[in-house]
Amino acid sequence: MAKLTWYGHAAFLLETGQYKILFDPFITGNPAAPVKAEQLQATHILVSHGHGDHLGDTVAIAKRTQATVIGPFELAEGYCASKGCKIHPMHIGGSYAFPFGRVKLTIAHHGSGDEIDGKMLYLGNPCGFVVNVEGKNVYHAGDTGLFMDMQLIGQMHPLEVALLPIGDNFTMGPEDAAKAVEFLKPKTVVPMHYSTWDIIKQDPKSFASKVKGSKVVILEPGKSLEF
Ligand code: NI
Ligand code: MN
C-alpha cells in the first residue's frame, strides 16, 4: 500500500515502503500547508520546475535529510547541486529506475525561470512526473496547460492516480483539467494548485462535476489517499 498526502498547492508526500518521496515541497509561505518544512522527512524530492511555489523548501529539506533531488537537468544540476544538494538530473522523456520505482519526466507547458537571490535564473524546461510505485503509476502534472499528448501518457502508463492543477490563470483551469482527465483516463484524479491565493481560487466540487469516467478525490491539506 502506498500513501499520498497533500500539503496544499502542488506539494505531496508519497510514501512507499521505507521511501518518502516529496513532490514540489513549497511549505514555507504556503498558506495551505498544514506542516512546517522542518517537520518533513524525505528520501527523494521531485521538483517539476524552478518557480518558487514548487522549488519551495527543496534545498533546505534536501540538505537536512540528505534526500536526493530529482528534476530537469538545469534545475537539478545547474541550481540545486550548486546549493549543496545531492541530485539526480533527468530530462523530458527520460526514465530511471530508482530504488522506490521508476520515474519518467513528461512535458509540461509552462515556464521555469525565476528570480533567485535577486537575479533572474534560467532553470530549463518545466516537467511533470510519472512515478511507478508498487506496480502502480502516479502522474504529477506539475504546472501545465492542457496538451493532447496527455493521451499518450495515459496509454503508455495506465494511471492509478493523476494529480492535476485546476487553478487556472497559471495552469489549466477546471474545464481544461476535466478534458485532461478524459485524455489521461486515471482511476482517480486529485485536484491541486488551486485556492492557495485568490488569483487561482476555484471550487474543486465544480471541477468534480465536470469529470467523467474517473473518481475525483478532493483532499484537504494534510489528508491522504492510499492506493
Ligand atoms: Ni509555475
Ligand atoms: Mn505554480
Side-chain angles (χ1 to χ4, degrees):
M1 204 79 149
K3 186 175 169 190
L4 193 60
T5 304
W6 192 38
Y7 293 136
H9 210 54
F12 287 85
L13 173 66
L14 175 60
E15 293 172 276
T16 175
Q18 58 182 304
Y19 300 103
K20 291 179 186 294
I21 303 136
L22 275 174
F23 291 90
D24 287 354
F26 165 54
I27 306 297
T28 305
N30 174 355
V35 289
K36 291 207 183 315
E38 302 77 54
Q39 296 171 268
L40 293 180
Q41 294 302 324
T43 57
H44 300 80
I45 304 177
L46 274 55
V47 190
S48 65
H49 63 291
H51 292 160
D53 59 321
H54 296 260
L55 185 58
D57 297 287
T58 295
V59 171
I61 297 171
K63 285 168 80 169
R64 174 172 53 79
T65 62
Q66 292 300 302
T68 301
V69 178
I70 301 165
F73 178 85
E74 291 83 352
L75 179 57
E77 180 87 40
Y79 180 73
C80 296
S82 77
K83 294 289 176 187
C85 301
K86 197 161 79 181
I87 58 140
H88 182 111
M90 296 182 68
H91 234 306
I92 313 286
S95 74
Y96 185 84
F98 291 92
F100 57 85
R102 188 168 282 275
V103 174
K104 186 175 188 181
L105 265 60
T106 62
I107 59 170
H109 292 309
H110 195 65
S112 182
D114 208 354
E115 196 178 310
I116 293 175
D117 304 331
K119 270 192 297 189
M120 195 67 190
L121 281 182
Y122 166 76
L123 294 167
N125 279 316
C127 75
F129 298 99
V130 175
V131 182
N132 184 277
V133 289
E134 304 179 26
K136 292 173 179 164
N137 291 313
V138 178
Y139 172 51
H140 186 296
D143 277 0
T144 186
L146 178 64
F147 53 91
M148 282 296 284
D149 288 12
M150 284 177 173
Q151 291 181 338
L152 198 55
I153 294 173
Q155 265 173 32
M156 295 182 71
H157 312 283
L159 300 176
E160 183 71 25
V161 184
L163 311 173
L164 300 183
I166 66 158
D168 216 343
N169 193 76
F170 299 112
T171 67
M172 297 187 285
E175 277 180 23
D176 285 16
K179 179 57 80 175
V181 176
E182 274 180 50
F183 288 166
L184 292 161
K185 297 188 170 42
K187 277 194 195 157
T188 298
V189 58
V190 179
M192 65 168 178
H193 209 277
Y194 68 92
S195 299
T196 319
W197 304 284
D198 276 350
I199 194 170
I200 55 171
K201 195 163 180 58
Q202 297 296 339
D203 176 6
K205 292 201 182 100
S206 138
F207 163 70
S209 72
K210 294 177 173 61
V211 169
K212 293 183 215 100
S214 298
K215 182 180 167 195
V216 182
V217 173
I218 298 168
L219 289 176
E220 293 292 320
K223 294 287 186 270
S224 306
L225 167 75
E226 291 192 340
F227 59 91

